[in-house]
Amino acid sequence: LCSFMRLFQMQLVCQRELDAASACAPDCRGEAIGALVAVPWDCTQYAVCGDLHGDLYPSEEVNCPDLFYFNPNDPLGPSCNAIALAGDNYCVTTCDPCEPLWSESGDTTPNPEDCTQFQVCLNNGVFYYATCDEQSGGMYYDYFNGGCQDNPDYCFASCDRCVPYCI
């Protein structure tokens, strides 16, 4: 257990250097406050980047109007565009926010159904759940920075298995 905790603490430091703790989350890195960013799992939604205690985090998902999709590459700036005017590949970069995404052993990803837990990747795609507590830095897992902390505002709460959508 002690060697795992040391490995885990080192992993938390390394995790901050990864591109994102969850590859399936709206990404505000390098954006300005108020910027619109894509929601990776639903191209009919976007998020707005806002300041949250000195860090940029995405807002709750915002729906485009019916029959519109979010185009992050619109020449006039990211916006909702009519699906009828879109090309064939307008909605191909989606993912499932309810599925864990890892690149290597030791990576962590949020448990999208419980903000007090996170998943740790072991070998061969096997993972286990770990729980945040006061000894690990707080009660809530911060999906962006890859560690436990005290503020529930940093939770990844985008998994809803009961909300299907059609395009």
Side-chain angles (χ1 to χ4, degrees), residues 19-167:
D19 287 338
S22 175
C24 192
D27 189 1
C28 287
R29 288 171 296 132
E31 301 289 347
I33 293 175
L36 307 182
V37 294
V39 172
W41 61 88
D42 185 344
C43 66
T44 66
Q45 296 181 330
Y46 61 92
V48 181
C49 296
D51 183 277
L52 186 61
H53 310 291
D55 292 317
L56 278 180
Y57 277 81
S59 68
E60 294 286 321
E61 298 84 30
V62 179
N63 291 317
C64 288
D66 287 346
L67 303 177
F68 280 71
Y69 76 102
F70 182 71
N71 182 359
N73 301 314
D74 188 311
L76 300 176
S79 62
C80 292
N81 295 158
I83 291 174
L85 302 176
D88 291 337
N89 296 323
Y90 72 94
C91 192
V92 294
T93 58
T94 58
C95 62
D96 183 348
C98 298
E99 296 298 321
L101 297 170
W102 303 292
S103 60
E104 59 189 54
S105 181
D107 282 353
T108 62
T109 191
N111 175 353
E113 296 175 1
D114 183 348
C115 192
T116 65
Q117 294 184 338
F118 56 98
Q119 301 164 1
V120 180
C121 177
L122 302 176
N123 292 325
N124 300 322
V126 175
F127 69 92
Y128 77 94
Y129 290 99
T131 301
C132 290
D133 57 28
E134 291 304 323
Q135 292 179 334
S136 61
M139 298 301 294
Y140 305 101
Y141 183 77
D142 177 348
Y143 76 92
F144 192 75
N145 287 314
C148 297
Q149 45 73 41
D150 289 323
N151 191 334
D153 293 338
Y154 296 115
C155 291
F156 182 78
S158 297
C159 174
D160 185 348
R161 295 186 190 278
C162 297
V163 181
Y165 67 95
C166 297
I167 298 177

Side-chain angles (χ1 to χ4, degrees), residues 1-14:
L1 181 63
C2 291
S3 60
F4 168 75
M5 289 307 292
R6 273 187 241 117
L7 171 66
F8 184 69
Q9 289 169 346
M10 289 180 0
Q11 198 62 31
L12 287 179
V13 172
C14 295

